[in-house]
Amino acid sequence: MISHRPRGLPGSGLPEYLSSVTSGVPFWARTCGYLVVVVGVLEVLCRLFIGVAPPERYDARYDKISEPGRWVVHSTEGFSRGRTNELGFLDAAVPRPPPADGILVVGDSFTEARHVDQAERFTNRLEKRLARRVYNAGHAGWSPLNAIGFLAAEKATLAPSTVIVQVSGNDLQDIVARKRPHVVEPAPGAFAVELPKRAAEGTAARVKAILFRSALVAAATSSALQLLAGGRDNDATGSCAAPDPRAVRALPWIAGELRRGHDDVHLLYLPMLDYHAGCVDRCAAARDLFARAAAGAGLAFVDATPALCERFRATGQPPNGFANTVPGTGHLNAAGHAVVAGVLADHLVAHRRLAR
Amino acid sequence: MIFSSATFLVFLAALLVLVALARSETQRKVILFAASLFFYGWWDWRFCFFLVVASVIDYRLALLIHEAPTPALKKRWLILSVTWNLGILAVFKYAGWLLRNLAAVLPLPEGTIPTLDIPLPLGISFFTFQAMSYTIDVYRGQFNPTRRLSDFAFSMSFFPHLIAGPIVRAAHFMPQLAGNHPLQRDHLLEGFSRFAKGFLKKTLLADQLAVCADAVFADPTFYSPATCWLGVLAYTAQIYYDFSGYTDMAIGLARMFGYRFPENFDHPYLSHNITEFWRRWHISLSTWLRDYLYISLGGNRRGRAQTYVNLIITMLLGGLWHGANWTFVAWGALHGTALAVHKAWRERWPEPRPVSRVLGPVFTFLFVVLCWVFFRAQDFSTAHTVLAKLAFLSPGGADWPHVQSLVALGLAIAAHAAVVRGTPVRFDLRLPLHLAALFGLLAIDLLYARAGHNPFIYFQF
C-alpha cells in the first residue's frame, strides 16, 4: 500500500517533497495542516464553481425571498453566477425612477432561471428585443399566490405597465400545500391566502447562519440533506398529479386577484413536456384550467407549449435540460428561454396592436 | 443495504464495535455470521433460511463425496451436488425465462404455458458457484472438506462477498478460518483504505457515469450518434468502476476483519488481446469457468476444433450466468468466438507482431466496448438501435456532452495512464497527506453523490 520511492528528495514528487520539508512536525500537526489547505481549496472551489445559495428572509406580505446583494453560484442544474438586486431577485438594480413602460415578470424557478446566464434568460432576451425594461421577479418555489402578495406590495416600487405572471403545472399542487402560501376557503366560494407559519429565529438559526457563511458547509449540508431524503431535485420540477379540488375552485379567484389593480396582465404557461412520448405536456389538465381561469378574469393567456415542441421537432434538441442533467428534463435551457422570449415578444406586440 | 449507503456505514460501525468487544475467536465468528445473515435478510429475511439450508446441503454432500468408498459413489454424490446447485439456479433464475421463451415459440393458445415470477435471491449466482467449486474440489481430491458446519456456513455467508463476489474458493478461504482474527490497527487501516477506494470508485465515478449510460440505453433513438458513443463509453467505464469498486470494498471489508479475498480485476481495459482481457476481468469468475467448465468439457485436450467449441460453449454459458436474457447469451457468444479466433491466430502466428502490439489494445478495447452494448441493452432491438447510432447510420437526435461523464472518463484515462507509467493511485492512511487527500475526495464525493437507490450492477446477477 505504500509507495516505495525514496523519501525526502525534493523534486521526486510532491508527497516526497512535502514529507521532507515537514519531517520534524508531529503526525497530527501535519494532518491538520494539510486538512486546512484541503478545506481552503474546497471553499474557494465552492465559491467559484460549485454552489453558493443566498440566504432567504421571510416577508410577511409574500413569504420567502433571497437576501438582497448576495452572491449566487448555481451548478447542480446548468450553471450560472450572479448577484441578487435590492429586492432579492437575480436581476439588475431597479432604476429610479422606474420607466413608465416597464414589464414585470413574476414566477417561479423557471423565471428566476439560475440554470442559465442572466443574459440568456427569457426576461433579459425580451428586454433586448422590445427595448423595454423587463423586471425579473422570479423565485424558486413561488406560486401565483406569492405573485398576488408581491404585486400588492411592490407595485409602487416598480410601477410596471405590463405584468406577466408565469405559471406551471405544479402550481396547482403548490397553492394548497400548507408549507407554502396556500388558499383557504373560510366560507364556500370565499377564498383568502394564508402564509405558512415561520418559526422565530433562535440560537440554532443564528449558529446556522454563521456556519453557512462557508459555501462549502452550505453546499455539503444541502447535499447531505438531499442524500438523506433520498432524492436530489435536479430533474424533477414538480408533479402533475390530479389537481386538488380546492385549487380548481380557487383558480378563478386567484386569476381575479392577479388582475386587481392592473390593466395589462398576462398569464404565461410553461409546460412540463415529455419529449420521449412525442412532446406531450404532462400537465395538460392544469394548462386547460389556467386558460379557463385567465379567460374568465380577462387575463391574456400565453402558452409556450406549441413553440417549444416545434423547436424540438425541428432540431431534435429538447429545450429543457443541461449538459449536467438529463436532456428533456428539468428547467428550460438557453434554447428554451429563447423560444419563450420569442413567444412572449410576439404575443406582447400583437396584444398592443390589438389594444390600439 | 448497499456498501455505499449511509445505512451500511452505520451497520459496519456497529459491527466493528461488536467484534472489538468479542473475547474469543468463536464469539467473533458468531457475531460475523449473525451480521452476515442480518445483512442478507435486510433485502428479504426469508432468503436467510434458503441460504442456511443450501449451506447445510452442500456441506453434507461434500462430506458424502469425501467419505464415499468407491469412485462411482463419489461421482453419484457429485452429480447430486451439481444438480442441486444448478437446479437452484434453474428454478430461481431461468425457469420464468424458459417458460416465456417456450410460450413464444410453441404454437399453443395464450395462457397454456404458465408464467413464473419467482423473486431472485440476491447473490444466488455467486454462492451457488462457490458451493459447486467446494464440492468439485473435494471430488477431485484437491481439498479435504471441513467437518465444522459452522466454518462452512461462515465461509458461504460472509457478507463482504455474499452478494456480488468475488467468488471465494474454499481452498483460499477455509485455511484462513483456522487462525485468530482480532481487530488490528494495520488490518483496519489497510481495509479502510481499500474500502474508501472502492467507495470513491462507486460513488464518484460509476454512479455519475450511470446517469448518461442509463439515459442513452433507455431511449437511444432520442440521442445523436456522438451522445450514444458517450453513453456506451460511459457504460464501459461504469461497469468497471461499479464492479471493481464493489470488489475493492469487499476486499477492504474482509481485510478489516482480518481475512483476505483474492483480487478480481487487474486493469482489464489495458489488455493487449481478448485472452488477456479475460485474465484481468472478473478473475474469480473467469478462473472458475476455466477450472470447472472449460476443463470439464475437455479443455484443449481433444483437438483444435473441439478446443474452439469448448471456448465458445464456456463463454456462452458464462454469458447466461449473468442473467436470463438472450442478450447475455449473445454477449457470451461474441466473447467466446473472439477467444477462439484469438487462439487460432496465436497458433498460426505465435510471436506477437509489432503492429499487433500497437493495434491490439485498441481493437481489444473497441471489441469489448461494442460487446457491452449487448450486455447493457434490455433487448436486441435496443442493441440494434444503439449499434446503428454508433455506426452513424441513424443521424439526428439530442446532443448531450454530459459533463460528469466526460470528467469521469478523463479521470479514468488519467488513472489508467498512471498504471501504465507504473505510478498507480494508492491511499496509505498512515501518511498525513493521503489522509487529507482522502478527506478532500470524500467531501467532493458528498457534494456530487447521487441520491436515491444506486445498486451495484452485479447485484442483479
Side-chain angles (χ1 to χ4, degrees):
Chain A
M1 296 300 290
I2 308 170
S3 170
H4 292 294
R5 280 198 226 157
R7 291 215 188 151
L9 297 174
S12 64
L14 181 67
E16 288 77 9
Y17 175 70
L18 289 173
S19 184
S20 71
V21 295
T22 58
S23 56
V25 184
F27 175 86
W28 64 267
R30 273 192 291 163
T31 306
C32 289
Y34 289 137
L35 281 176
V36 167
V37 174
V38 165
V39 169
V41 169
L42 288 175
E43 178 71 26
V44 171
L45 284 176
C46 267
R47 285 183 181 277
L48 290 177
F49 302 111
I50 296 175
V52 185
E56 287 183 328
R57 63 184 168 85
Y58 290 95
D59 189 297
R61 298 166 298 177
Y62 49 86
D63 205 47
K64 64 178 183 178
I65 182 76
S66 299
E67 289 277 6
R70 295 296 183 135
W71 179 241
V72 183
V73 177
H74 179 81
S75 69
T76 50
E77 190 189 3
F79 179 77
S80 75
R81 280 185 284 217
R83 192 173 286 281
T84 55
N85 65 9
E86 64 269 45
L87 293 176
F89 298 110
L90 271 175
D91 198 15
V94 178
R96 295 274 182 259
D101 64 346
I103 300 172
L104 171 63
V105 184
V106 192
D108 58 17
S109 52
F110 279 84
T111 298
E112 184 184 31
R114 288 187 195 179
H115 329 92
V116 294
D117 277 344
Q118 287 193 21
E120 310 241 15
R121 299 184 304 183
F122 73 83
T123 48
N124 295 56
R125 288 171 184 269
L126 194 63
E127 183 171 273
K128 204 169 172 186
R129 181 148 168 196
L130 298 181
R132 290 166 69 184
R133 177 70 173 97
V134 178
Y135 305 104
N136 185 316
H139 187 83
W142 272 22
S143 74
L145 301 185
N146 298 86
I148 291 172
F150 179 77
L151 288 172
E154 303 291 355
K155 187 186 167 192
T157 315
L158 302 168
S161 66
T162 303
V163 173
I164 298 168
V165 178
Q166 173 256 312
V167 292
S168 298
N170 59 320
D171 284 328
L172 287 185
Q173 274 83 53
D174 292 350
I175 60 177
V176 288
R178 296 193 68 82
K179 286 182 177 176
R180 301 165 182 265
H182 52 278
V183 280
V184 287
E185 194 175 2
F191 296 96
V193 179
E194 193 173 276
L195 296 185
K197 288 185 176 58
R198 302 292 180 192
E201 293 235 326
T203 312
R206 282 194 288 274
V207 171
K208 185 183 160 193
I210 293 168
L211 285 175
F212 275 39
R213 281 182 192 167
S214 157
L216 175 62
V217 172
T221 307
S222 156
S223 187
L225 289 175
Q226 286 172 14
L227 280 172
L228 289 174
R232 200 188 281 280
D233 197 20
N234 277 3
D235 51 7
T237 44
S239 78
C240 289
D244 186 284
R246 187 153 41 107
V248 175
R249 281 201 306 277
L251 262 189
W253 174 80
I254 292 170
E257 287 297 303
L258 291 171
R259 180 85 166 79
R260 185 192 293 245
H262 303 283
D263 294 331
D264 191 17
V265 183
H266 307 253
L267 209 58
L268 167 66
Y269 177 78
L270 296 181
M272 293 180 183
L273 296 168
D274 183 348
Y275 298 99
H276 297 272
C279 207
V280 177
D281 183 7
R282 288 185 281 129
C283 307
R287 178 189 55 200
D288 296 342
L289 288 168
F290 275 121
R292 217 175 302 151
L299 307 181
F301 185 72
V302 192
D303 182 5
T305 311
L308 290 168
C309 284
E310 191 184 323
R311 203 254 174 204
F312 168 66
R313 290 191 189 107
T315 63
Q317 311 298 327
N320 299 68
F322 301 85
N324 55 358
T325 60
V326 179
T329 62
H331 291 90
L332 291 172
N333 53 34
H337 277 272
V339 171
V340 174
V343 169
L344 264 182
D346 292 346
H347 165 80
L348 290 175
V349 169
H351 186 78
R352 183 170 272 197
R353 203 178 296 138
L354 210 66
R356 276 186 200 142
Chain B
M1 207 190 307
I2 297 161
F3 285 173
S4 52
S5 67
T7 318
F8 179 78
L9 297 179
V10 172
F11 165 81
L12 178 62
L15 183 59
L16 284 168
V17 170
L18 284 175
V19 172
L21 292 173
R23 291 178 181 173
S24 66
E25 185 62 13
T26 310
Q27 281 186 8
R28 277 190 285 275
K29 279 185 184 164
V30 168
I31 291 168
L32 283 175
F33 180 64
S36 297
L37 289 183
F38 178 79
F39 172 80
Y40 195 60
W42 188 264
W43 279 280
D44 191 334
W45 60 269
R46 290 169 300 176
F47 288 131
C48 287
F49 296 106
F50 171 72
L51 181 66
V52 171
V53 169
S55 300
V56 171
I57 289 174
D58 282 308
Y59 162 79
R60 189 68 201 135
L61 285 171
L63 283 178
L64 286 170
I65 292 168
H66 184 64
E67 289 162 0
T70 62
L73 200 53
K74 272 183 194 288
K75 195 167 190 174
R76 202 176 300 166
W77 288 124
L78 175 71
I79 289 169
L80 186 62
S81 163
V82 172
T83 309
W84 156 247
N85 282 298
L86 291 181
I88 296 173
L89 273 181
V91 169
F92 281 101
K93 200 165 174 177
Y94 301 107
W97 175 67
L98 284 171
L99 288 176
R100 276 197 305 279
N101 278 289
L102 274 178
V105 170
L106 295 177
L108 293 171
E110 199 174 320
T112 312
I113 297 178
T115 53
L116 267 182
D117 196 14
I118 307 172
L120 185 68
L122 273 172
I124 188 169
S125 307
F126 289 92
F127 66 72
T128 49
F129 266 41
Q130 193 166 312
M132 271 197 284
S133 73
Y134 178 69
T135 51
I136 294 170
D137 281 351
V138 169
Y139 172 77
R140 288 175 176 173
Q142 293 171 349
F143 185 77
N144 286 334
T146 178
R147 301 217 162 258
R148 294 166 66 102
L149 174 61
S150 58
D151 275 2
F152 182 71
F154 179 83
S155 77
M156 283 284 284
S157 63
F158 191 34
F159 75 92
H161 71 70
L162 181 59
I163 307 295
I167 302 169
V168 183
R169 295 199 202 174
H172 179 92
F173 194 69
M174 286 293 191
Q176 296 184 47
L177 295 179
N180 268 326
H181 303 87
L183 291 188
Q184 290 179 22
R185 184 175 172 273
D186 279 356
H187 291 170
L188 284 171
L189 281 175
E190 195 184 328
F192 188 75
S193 304
R194 191 69 187 263
F195 182 84
K197 189 177 171 186
F199 186 87
L200 290 169
K201 276 184 181 178
K202 166 69 178 160
T203 53
L204 207 54
L205 298 176
D207 286 351
Q208 302 294 336
L209 291 158
V211 175
C212 182
D214 289 351
V216 166
F217 278 94
D219 188 2
T221 51
F222 187 75
Y223 296 100
S224 67
T227 305
C228 285
W229 267 108
L230 180 63
V232 173
L233 287 172
Y235 184 69
T236 302
Q238 183 207 346
I239 193 168
Y240 171 65
Y241 284 113
D242 191 281
F243 195 19
S244 76
Y246 174 88
T247 306
D248 284 339
M249 291 162 100
I251 291 172
L253 286 167
R255 196 70 203 122
M256 284 183 208
F257 295 102
Y259 297 92
R260 281 194 189 279
F261 281 174
E263 293 295 335
N264 214 14
F265 291 91
D266 181 18
H267 302 97
Y269 293 144
L270 295 175
S271 303
H272 286 71
N273 54 61
I274 196 69
T275 309
E276 189 185 341
F277 174 81
W278 278 102
R279 283 196 206 110
R280 290 164 162 239
W281 176 271
H282 201 172
I283 298 166
S284 65
L285 176 69
S286 56
T287 50
W288 195 102
L289 291 172
R290 181 196 64 201
D291 295 346
Y292 301 109
L293 186 56
Y294 176 69
I295 290 176
S296 300
L297 287 168
N300 57 3
R301 301 186 303 274
R302 294 182 184 166
R304 198 174 284 178
Q306 187 61 40
T307 303
Y308 303 149
V309 171
N310 288 344
L311 273 172
I312 293 172
I313 291 173
T314 302
M315 290 311 295
L316 213 126
L317 292 174
L320 195 59
W321 174 87
H322 285 86
N325 197 332
W326 287 109
T327 52
F328 288 121
V329 179
W331 173 80
L334 283 168
H335 272 278
T337 309
L339 284 169
V341 167
H342 181 247
K343 198 163 184 60
W345 176 278
R346 290 297 293 269
E347 280 162 3
R348 176 74 181 80
W349 294 287
E351 286 302 314
R353 297 171 163 211
V355 68
S356 67
R357 283 202 191 96
V358 178
L359 294 179
V362 178
F363 281 136
T364 304
F365 180 72
L366 264 180
F367 175 77
V368 170
V369 167
L370 293 177
C371 285
W372 285 134
V373 172
F374 289 95
F375 193 89
R376 177 61 180 79
Q378 57 266 40
D379 49 44
F380 283 113
S381 163
T382 308
H384 175 261
T385 309
V386 173
L387 289 172
K389 284 278 183 185
L390 296 185
F392 293 85
L393 296 175
S394 172
D399 290 315
W400 182 29
H402 185 226
V403 178
Q404 293 93 319
S405 290
L406 291 170
V407 171
L409 286 173
L411 289 172
I413 291 168
H416 279 76
V419 172
V420 172
R421 286 203 320 269
T423 53
V425 182
R426 282 177 182 150
F427 286 120
D428 182 355
L429 299 186
R430 285 164 292 190
L431 300 177
L433 186 63
H434 287 208
L435 203 57
L438 180 65
F439 173 83
L441 282 171
L442 289 174
I444 291 173
D445 193 25
L446 174 62
L447 293 174
Y448 283 102
R450 281 179 68 212
H453 186 62
N454 307 310
F456 291 91
I457 292 174
Y458 266 69
F459 272 25
Q460 62 187 298
F461 306 142

